[in-house]
Each structure stands twice: as C-alpha cells, then as structure tokens.
Amino acid sequence: MDEDSFSYSSERFDDIQMLRYRLDGFKDLTLKQKLYIYCLAQATLWGRDITFHQFGQYNLKIRKALECIVKERYKDDSDDFKALELYLKKVWFANGIHHHYAMDKFTPTFSRNYFIEALNIVGKTKLGLSTKESLSEFINTLSEVIFNPDCMPKRVNKAEGTDVILTSANNYYEGVSQKEVEYYYSEQKNKAIDKRLSFGLNSTLVKHGDLIEEIVWKLNGRYGETIEQIIHWLEKAIDYCENDDQKEIIRLLITYYTSGELSDFDKYSIKWVTECNGQVDFINGFIEVYGDALGLKGSWEGIVHYKNLEATKRTQTISTNAQWFEDHSPIDKEFKKEVVKGVTANVVCAAMLGGDEYPASAIGINLPNADWIRAEYGSKSVTISNLTHAYDMAAKGNGFLEEFVIDNQTRALLKTFGNLTDELHTDLHECLGHGSGKLLPGIDPDSLKNYGNTIEEARADLFGLYYIADEKLLELGLLNSKEAFKAQYYSYIMNGLMTQLARIKPDKQIEESHMQNRALISWWAFELGKEQNVIEFIKQTDSITNELKTFIRINDYTLLRQIFAQQLSEIQRIKSMGDFNKARQLVETYAIKVDKILHNEVLQRYKQLNIAPYKGFINPIMTLEYNSANQIIDVKLDYTETYTDQMMRYSKDYSL
C-alpha cells in the first residue's frame, strides 16, 4: 500500500483521535524474521488483561459488562446506549475507567437505571458469573464504582499532603498505607544481600490483619494463567530467533516469568541490553512505574519492533559519540560517568503494541530502568519512526501552527526543521539523556519518591534541549543549519507553557509525569529568564475574529540554552544526591499549577480547530498464509480493522 492511498486517521471520539501505523519494510524481511515478529506479537497481545487489572480492581468486570451490553443491544438507538458505547471506547483506550493521562475517573453520561436494566437483561450466563455469584450484587458493585464520583476518583494521586497509596485507585496495593509501603520496602532493602534489585516491581502488596505480604506476578502466581499464554508464544518465538543471543534472552525472560525473582529479571535485562545484532527486538513485561504514585510497581507492557536500517544511522552516530556528550555535559564533574558503557540506539518500526503501550504509545523508549545496569552494562534506546510518521501525516493541514505560533518567520522555521528536531530531541532524550549521569554512592534510586518520575523525565528532556543547539550536531551531520535548534526550543516552550494545556480538563491541575516535566522546565526557564526577558507572553489581535490571543515569543535563544544548562545541572544534582526536598519544591512550584485564564483560552482555541488532544493507534492484523502443502509461506498484514472490532476481538481471543 503506497503513501497516498494509506489512511493514517481513523475514527475520532471524545478527546481522542485513532490512527493507523504502517509497517514499512516489513515485506522485505525474511520469512523467519516475520514469523519471529508474529510469535512475539501474540505474546504482546496476551498481556492486555494484566494491564487492565493492574489499573483497577474492577476494570475487567466493567469491560466485560459493557461489552455484553453493546453486543446484546447493538440496535439500540437511545441516547443512553450511545453514551454507554462512547464510555466503553474510552475504557478500552485507557485500559480502565480512569483517563490514561489525567488519571481522573470517567464520568458516565448514560443513566444508572439504564445500566442496571441492561445488565439484568444480559444475565448471569453471558456475564460469566458462576451459579454461586449474585447478579444483583455484581450489578450494585459495578454501579457504585462507575457512578459514585467519590468511589475510586483517581487512578494515580500524587498530590502533596495526601496518602498517595490510599487515595490511588490502581490495583498494586491492598489495605496498606503510604507509610506502610515505604517502611516495608525500606526493610526489604535493608535485609537484602543484593540491594540493587527493583524492589516491588512485580508484585501486589497486601495487608491481612497485621501481616503485610507480596503476591508476586508470575507463573503459578497472580496473573499466572495469562503469563502461561505469554510464555507459550515466547517459546514458539525461539524457533525463529535471528541469533543465539536472542534465544538466550527469551529463555531468561521465561525463567523470570516462572520464578518471579527480581534477580532473574536483572539477568534478563543485562542480556537484553547487550544484544544488538538482530534486526527484530521486543519489550515484554512489568516495566514502567508511572502508574504507581511511589514509582515502584511496573505496569505490564509489550511492543515488538524491527530496525529502520537507514534511519538508524542517525541514532548510531549519536550513540557512538556518547562519551563526548557525557564529558561535555554542563553538570558537576562528580555526577558524570567516567566511562559510558553499552549505549545502543536504533530507529525502529513498531510491529505490534500491547498493554500499557496500547492504544496510546510512547514514541521513544530507553531501558532498562535500573541505574546500576545502565552504569555497568549500558542501555538500549529506540525512536519509533512509523508512529511519529503517523502523527505527522495525521496533523497535516490541521491549522495548529497558524493558530498558536507567533509569526510567519517562526512558522516557517517549524515547518522546515520541526519534524527533524523533534526526532533528534527524542533520540537525545532516550539514547543519552536517561543514560547520562550517575547516582552518588549510597543514594537510593527511589529517594525522590512520588517526584522521581517527573525529575527523571525533566533530566532527559534537558539533556536533549541543551545538546540540540550544540555545534557537535552540525559536525556529526545530524543537522545542516545553525538555526534548526530554534524550532525545537520554540515548540517545546510553547507546548510546556501553553498548548499542552489542551489535554487538561477545566479546573484541573497537571498530574501526568511527562506533562509535569515539560511544565517544570518551561515555567522555570521563564522565571530564570525574566530579568533578561528571554521568554515573553505576547497578546495579539486576530485579524479575522478580532479576538485577543496569547502567543509565546523567544527573544534570546542563546540565553535560553544557558538556562537549560543551568536547569540540567541542578536537576542532575537532585537526582545524583537524592535531594527529595528540592525535587518537591521544583515540582510543586512549576509543574502542577495551571493558569486558569490561559487554560480556558487554549481550550477554546483548540475547540475551534477541532483537534483531538490525544492520539492512539489501531494495530494491524497479522495472518499466517499457507501453501497447498499446509506450509507457512508468509505473514500478511491487514490495516482495515476498525477500533471497535479490534477491541472486541482482543477481548474474545486474548482473555481468560
């Protein structure tokens, strides 16, 4: 399918636009590589229900109930049914009943009576209830969770002055308080022989009476039946690996899934990070900790990808010069790595998304997260080119630049260099930023607690912002203009100060770690540059509507780079020294609060443009093709499946 005939945009609902991504170059892979991807893709799709359950105790039951109602009443033209259908689409997208970014519980616009009546019609059998389970009790419980605004209002609550565990609705903890969690894992670290383990990463912490224990996510443990399916497809994938190292990686992952031992996870991570010869790679497991207010528990995620060999030349240029970037970083010498090890960076095409990477996905990933493995063995980074390309193609002609960028000169700058500098900033963020710097001896990696994720993302972003303006990028041939960096500086500051507010509901604050990081950097930079008027808010009258609108103007890009250097130096110090109080001060001062007047203006301007602030992806269908002798001869791709059909199919085929 050529570029002109491929439809990147699919349906739109609420604040979400669904997109499709192309698997460019897939047809040129060998059959063995395609089958390796196919098996890994199946393992990726099987983890979906784990993510749903991690994000909320009742998510799977609510999803099943809503899907049963939709299937039972598909010809219902009532407003209640349409509202319930919309609610289900949002639940699918967020892997639960809380918004994937804002973390607030969705407000249903269908009536409670309609929901109760519909479930009574569906009945126990179709809902999968046992003979001993009460239908009325099932309905009452789900109704309370869905319709009571005070019941489980936030999936992740990081608000200062609250117990972030008891007030978060995620399903990582049962009956324990924040103090109990912190004390429990402090004791675990004190008792452990290996204090470098990612304590708590793959378990639910449960309190029974006075006893607190971990229920580990593993085969023959919690999520065991689903993990068995994941292992089944991982074992099949071994037959199609490109090299022996990949086989060993999968075997180590299976060992970890079987034992649940964090030491086995570290062995897998070390082997995974050192394998870089294959074209196909994957992530599968309990990885990122953004969904836990204390940054301990890993949500399940999966992604399968293969190298974009031409574009990877760019990231390999960056990674081979990693030591130069580390040595010239504007941070204190005691926080720098003396020797940067094993930095691997690739531009890749996503082949399948799953769990916490689906439908909304990251466009860049850097792993493993363990600081000691990064220091001793290195890290792997990927920039996912076919996802960013889908974003770019879907945004063509949407009027965003004309509405929010201050003048024609700056718009021309963004049109010329915007996509390239966005990709380069992602490369620098993932490939070098997360892997840069070091903790001082004895510093607990979790010492920044609920502010840790925001500080870490700010550190990686600032690394990219500082270096994207460096002449080294011109010397390496990554940029061909001294003016190009200005496109990234302008778009980043405009986003951090203004346009990302389109993702926030009225009267709400910023709570997602990546958004907090961008706000922190931008508002702090505005404050640091106030005396020299480095960044300025400008009011201009729209020539057509005569409305007074707010714009950002950057008056001194050179000084702004110096500010980024100052910020990076301080953020690295905070990370390296585990300075919780300074982390809290910066985040609480710059990263959370929203200017209501500016926020309302941004929302109104976005509404006029009819741009959905959030994007997500529909996966391709992979089908095995056989010849007359029943031999597999190809893996075929189909991009035509609708969002609803895909979600219903996944619930049927990849759920226990």
Side-chain angles (χ1 to χ4, degrees):
M1 185 179 293
D2 60 36
E3 182 81 357
D4 293 334
S5 61
F6 189 85
S7 178
Y8 288 93
S9 294
S10 184
E11 71 171 287
R12 159 112 183 242
F13 55 90
D14 199 56
D15 56 359
I16 295 163
Q17 175 69 56
M18 296 306 301
L19 306 177
R20 302 182 189 278
Y21 59 96
R22 288 200 321 179
L23 274 61
D24 295 315
F26 184 84
K27 63 179 176 20
D28 299 322
L29 298 175
T30 66
L31 177 59
K32 188 176 181 181
Q33 287 172 320
K34 291 178 182 178
L35 289 171
Y36 187 37
I37 289 172
Y38 177 85
C39 293
L40 292 173
Q42 295 301 309
T44 295
L45 295 175
W46 264 106
R48 178 176 181 244
D49 280 4
I50 297 177
T51 310
F52 263 89
H53 193 259
Q54 288 179 316
F55 285 2
Q57 178 182 353
Y58 298 100
N59 282 339
L60 287 173
K61 292 180 179 180
I62 290 172
R63 189 189 78 193
K64 178 69 177 287
L66 294 170
E67 288 172 349
C68 284
I69 293 171
V70 168
K71 284 187 284 188
E72 184 74 24
R73 312 189 74 159
Y74 68 96
K75 292 182 179 180
D76 189 340
D77 290 327
S78 70
D79 290 339
D80 273 320
F81 179 77
K82 292 173 184 176
L84 183 142
E85 211 172 17
L86 172 61
Y87 183 85
L88 174 56
K89 289 182 179 182
K90 291 158 67 173
V91 168
W92 282 332
F93 191 90
N95 292 300
I97 61 173
H98 297 86
H99 195 278
H100 72 293
Y101 242 61
M103 301 295 169
D104 294 319
K105 191 168 73 172
F106 296 129
T107 301
T109 53
F110 54 96
S111 73
R112 188 168 185 153
N113 286 339
Y114 178 84
F115 180 70
I116 292 171
E117 177 194 342
L119 285 183
N120 275 306
I121 292 172
V122 169
K124 288 179 62 171
T125 302
K126 290 180 180 177
L127 287 169
L129 302 182
S130 69
T131 53
K132 295 181 180 179
E133 290 179 280
S134 164
L135 178 60
S136 61
E137 187 174 321
F138 176 85
I139 293 173
N140 289 338
T141 299
L142 296 197
S143 298
E144 182 68 9
V145 173
I146 291 173
F147 292 96
N148 183 351
D150 297 322
C151 179
M152 300 182 170
K154 294 193 74 66
R155 175 157 72 87
V156 182
N157 179 32
K158 296 191 288 184
E160 188 178 27
T162 63
D163 186 312
V164 299
I165 298 301
L166 291 177
T167 57
S168 294
N170 57 44
N171 201 20
Y172 298 129
Y173 305 96
E174 296 176 17
V176 288
S177 67
Q178 180 179 345
K179 285 185 178 180
E180 288 173 323
V181 173
E182 291 173 346
Y183 178 78
Y184 180 88
Y185 286 114
S186 175
E187 287 295 292
Q188 292 292 305
K189 290 176 184 177
N190 290 336
K191 295 175 185 175
I193 297 173
D194 186 354
K195 301 183 186 302
R196 304 175 302 179
L197 299 175
S198 301
F199 293 92
L201 183 70
N202 65 332
S203 65
T204 307
L205 195 64
V206 179
K207 186 175 182 180
H208 301 290
D210 294 328
L211 178 67
I212 296 177
E213 63 172 339
E214 285 186 297
I215 301 176
V216 179
W217 310 330
K218 63 174 183 173
L219 189 68
N220 299 322
R222 179 161 288 188
Y223 307 132
E225 290 182 330
T226 300
I227 289 172
E228 185 177 8
Q229 295 296 325
I230 295 171
I231 289 173
H232 169 79
W233 283 103
L234 290 174
E235 288 175 334
K236 282 184 173 293
I238 291 175
D239 293 336
Y240 306 108
C241 286
E242 298 170 281
N243 55 55
D244 289 339
D245 285 337
Q246 289 178 339
K247 293 178 182 179
E248 181 63 15
I249 287 165
I250 293 178
R251 291 190 182 106
L252 286 170
L253 178 57
I254 291 171
T255 297
Y256 164 59
Y257 270 138
T258 303
S259 72
E261 294 291 338
L262 292 169
S263 57
D264 288 333
F265 177 65
D266 286 346
K267 291 173 186 174
Y268 154 73
S269 298
I270 291 167
K271 186 66 180 178
W272 175 81
V273 82
T274 55
E275 196 288 312
C276 56
N277 294 320
Q279 188 172 354
V280 180
D281 205 352
F282 70 98
I283 296 165
N284 186 297
F286 309 107
I287 309 293
E288 300 292 0
V289 295
Y290 300 107
D292 176 10
L294 290 181
L296 297 173
K297 306 295 179 184
S299 60
W300 193 94
E301 67 178 63
I303 180 170
V304 187
H305 55 77
Y306 55 96
K307 290 176 187 173
N308 179 331
L309 297 177
E310 182 60 33
T312 288
K313 294 175 183 177
R314 181 184 79 227
T315 51
Q316 288 178 343
T317 298
I318 293 172
S319 61
T320 54
N321 287 275
Q323 190 66 58
W324 184 94
F325 287 100
E326 183 76 4
D327 292 343
H328 292 81
S329 177
I331 66 174
D332 195 287
K333 185 177 179 180
E334 70 173 323
F335 306 140
K336 293 182 181 181
K337 288 179 177 173
E338 292 82 5
V339 179
V340 177
K341 298 180 181 178
V343 175
T344 304
N346 296 300
V347 178
V348 303
C349 286
M352 192 62 67
L353 307 173
D356 203 8
E357 290 292 340
Y358 169 81
S361 173
I363 57 172
I365 299 170
N366 176 272
L367 291 172
N369 287 326
D371 285 291
W372 74 271
I373 297 179
R374 292 177 187 272
E376 294 185 23
Y377 298 95
S379 63
K380 267 187 188 178
S381 301
V382 296
T383 302
I384 310 175
S385 61
N386 59 338
L387 299 190
T388 57
H389 183 65
Y391 282 130
D392 293 340
M393 295 300 291
K396 278 189 173 182
N398 66 5
F400 174 83
L401 295 181
E402 289 73 17
E403 177 61 39
F404 286 102
V405 178
I406 190 167
D407 52 38
N408 289 331
Q409 180 182 355
T410 310
R411 281 192 285 272
L413 188 74
L414 266 63
K415 287 178 180 178
T416 304
F417 299 113
N419 289 348
L420 174 58
T421 55
D422 279 348
E423 290 177 347
L424 269 176
H425 184 257
T426 301
D427 294 340
L428 291 165
H429 172 113
E430 300 294 351
C431 174
L432 302 181
H434 281 306
S436 66
K438 66 179 182 181
L439 298 179
L440 294 185
I443 297 299
D444 186 341
D446 299 321
S447 57
L448 301 183
K449 300 180 183 178
N450 46 310
Y451 301 104
N453 288 332
T454 299
I455 292 297
E456 175 57 23
E457 291 304 322
R459 192 176 71 91
D461 260 2
L462 285 165
F463 194 99
L465 288 168
Y466 176 75
Y467 275 118
I468 204 161
D470 201 287
E471 290 189 359
K472 186 70 173 179
L473 298 193
L474 298 171
E475 177 190 319
L476 294 173
L478 298 170
L479 291 175
N480 59 8
S481 169
K482 291 184 177 181
E483 299 294 300
F485 80 93
K486 294 179 180 179
Q488 181 61 202
Y489 276 24
Y490 189 88
S491 61
Y492 191 95
I493 293 296
M494 180 180 68
N495 188 32
L497 294 179
M498 279 187 59
T499 52
Q500 74 168 1
L501 294 177
R503 295 182 165 195
I504 307 294
K505 298 295 184 184
D507 300 319
K508 297 292 183 180
Q509 294 186 326
I510 302 173
E511 300 188 38
E512 197 277 332
S513 296
H514 296 81
M515 293 181 70
Q516 286 186 348
N517 133 57
R518 291 188 285 268
L520 188 160
I521 291 172
S522 301
W523 283 106
W524 187 19
F526 175 76
E527 187 70 29
L528 290 172
K530 215 168 190 179
E531 191 172 322
Q532 296 95 340
N533 202 28
V534 175
I535 302 168
E536 187 178 5
F537 284 93
I538 298 291
K539 293 286 188 179
Q540 291 183 170
T541 302
D542 189 292
S543 59
I544 299 175
T545 65
N546 213 32
E547 293 176 289
L548 198 62
K549 295 181 177 180
T550 306
F551 294 89
I552 302 297
R553 183 162 68 196
I554 297 176
N555 294 312
D556 195 323
Y557 283 90
T558 302
L559 276 179
L560 182 54
R561 190 191 185 212
Q562 293 174 16
I563 289 171
F564 288 149
Q566 179 183 346
Q567 291 177 310
L568 177 57
S569 178
E570 175 61 2
I571 290 288
Q572 182 62 60
R573 184 199 67 77
I574 291 169
K575 171 84 172 181
S576 295
M577 299 182 72
D579 190 342
F580 173 81
N581 289 330
K582 187 62 177 180
R584 176 173 58 187
Q585 178 196 337
L586 285 177
V587 174
E588 294 293 335
T589 302
Y590 298 110
I592 296 174
K593 299 179 181 67
V594 172
D595 182 312
K596 288 188 177 183
I597 296 174
L598 181 62
H599 185 199
N600 289 334
E601 179 188 332
V602 170
L603 290 175
Q604 184 59 33
R605 290 163 72 179
Y606 249 83
K607 185 178 180 181
Q608 291 172 353
L609 289 174
N610 196 31
I611 298 175
Y614 297 102
K615 310 289 191 297
F617 293 97
I618 300 171
N619 283 324
I621 302 174
M622 292 184 179
T623 307
L624 298 180
E625 184 178 5
Y626 295 83
N627 63 14
S628 57
N630 204 33
Q631 297 169 319
I632 301 172
I633 58 172
D634 203 0
V635 178
K636 290 295 185 182
L637 301 177
D638 182 348
Y639 299 103
T640 62
E641 190 170 32
T642 68
Y643 173 64
T644 295
D645 286 345
Q646 182 157 109
M647 290 297 183
M648 286 292 202
R649 179 170 65 87
Y650 284 180
S651 293
K652 174 177 174 289
D653 293 347
Y654 300 99
S655 180
L656 297 171

